[in-house]
Amino acid sequence: MKPDDIIRKVAFPIVVSGASGAGKTTLCRGLAACVERVAFSVSVTTRPARGSERHGVDYFFVSDGEFERMKAAGGLVEWAEVHGNLYGTPRAWMDERLAEGTSILLDIDVQGGVQIMEAYPDAVSIFVVAPSMEVLEKRLRSRGSDSDEAIELRLRNAVGELEYIERYTYIVVNDSVESAVSRMAAVVDAERCRRSRLFEGISWKDFVGL
Ligand code: 5GP
């Protein structure tokens, strides 16, 4: 194999977490669109679909019973209860993509993020924060879909999520979507150059083809 072939095999989970309203879903979409060999993990959830959301695209919408069956069968690599609903990441799809050299982008909450970091020590973790708490509140209010009470709850939850920030390797401030996405892309590129990933199970001579 040539160095280039080895580089193309390097793949890892990319955990992206952050308070709701910080903009992590937008940033993940932007990242998936501009970086090669990255695919989005589609989670399983017991929450009902909203608006234009599609089964199998945004989420797999399942009943509580189905969720429990998947969990009991070991089909979820992580799961958590978030804002009163259950969410989980299907294991098989992710492992198959990783094996073929595709990194998997996981837009998940901090409880799930920590489980992924434990299950995959080579995972890359990125925590997205709003430029300030004032901006975060403004973004939550401008969504227009939540009551004042729901916004207060999300803000309180945001502080709870922030308590996990020290478990994450990279912090990206979402000041503008374009620049935040380009910093996330830089993180992925740099992680793909890590010697420990490239030389896994081979020597430098194997790597350069000596
Ligand atoms: P929403 O219902 O607004 O789409 O998502 C609510 C929260 O659940 C977000 O913080 C989102 O990142 C998180 N979430 C989505 N999918 C998963 C998952 O598979 N596992 C975990 N732990 N959290 C998830």
Side-chain angles (χ1 to χ4, degrees):
M1 279 215 282
K2 296 195 209 64
D4 208 34
D5 299 325
I6 296 168
I7 288 167
R8 296 190 75 76
K9 279 291 202 190
V10 170
F12 39 84
I14 306 162
V15 176
V16 181
S17 301
S20 93
K24 60 187 191 299
T25 307
T26 309
L27 298 187
C28 284
R29 292 216 176 100
L31 183 66
C34 75
V35 179
E36 282 185 353
R37 291 186 293 115
V38 168
F40 237 113
S41 165
V42 179
S43 300
V44 178
T45 184
T46 59
R47 122 162 130 61
R50 296 187 194 122
S52 60
E53 285 181 336
R54 280 180 298 156
H55 182 79
V57 177
D58 299 284
Y59 282 105
F60 293 104
F61 298 98
V62 298
S63 64
D64 285 6
E66 267 174 274
F67 192 95
E68 286 307 321
R69 271 193 293 283
M70 286 185 80
K71 199 175 100 187
L76 300 178
V77 62
E78 64 76 32
W79 70 275
E81 187 178 330
V82 188
H83 310 313
N85 293 298
L86 298 172
Y87 295 83
T89 301
R91 183 193 300 278
W93 185 87
M94 169 156 132
D95 284 344
E96 283 161 22
R97 297 291 89 67
L98 288 172
E100 68 189 29
T102 302
S103 293
I104 302 301
L105 199 49
L106 301 134
D107 169 358
I108 60 179
D109 92 308
V110 291
Q111 306 168 73
V114 168
Q115 293 173 55
I116 294 287
M117 291 178 223
E118 278 162 9
Y120 298 82
D122 65 329
V124 171
S125 57
I126 303 176
F127 198 99
V128 176
V129 292
S132 68
M133 288 306 277
E134 289 75 29
V135 172
L136 181 70
E137 184 168 351
K138 228 163 97 192
R139 284 187 189 158
L140 284 174
R141 294 199 187 280
S142 70
R143 280 181 176 180
S145 54
D146 294 314
S147 62
D148 278 358
E149 228 170 62
I151 291 168
E152 296 302 324
L153 178 68
R154 280 177 183 260
L155 278 171
R156 274 201 304 279
N157 287 346
V159 176
E161 298 233 359
L162 279 164
E163 282 171 5
Y164 284 78
I165 199 168
E166 290 179 341
R167 306 285 293 263
Y168 287 70
T169 304
Y170 296 97
I171 312 297
V172 169
V173 178
N174 186 10
D175 40 10
S176 93
V177 172
E178 200 186 357
S179 72
V181 167
S182 85
R183 270 174 275 135
M184 286 166 76
V187 165
V188 174
D189 276 345
E191 287 289 340
R192 284 178 170 164
C193 298
R194 255 188 208 276
R195 190 194 65 231
S196 56
R197 297 189 193 277
L198 296 169
F199 289 20
E200 207 194 325
I202 60 170
S203 71
W204 68 268
K205 286 188 176 173
D206 295 330
F207 182 76
V208 297
L210 254 189

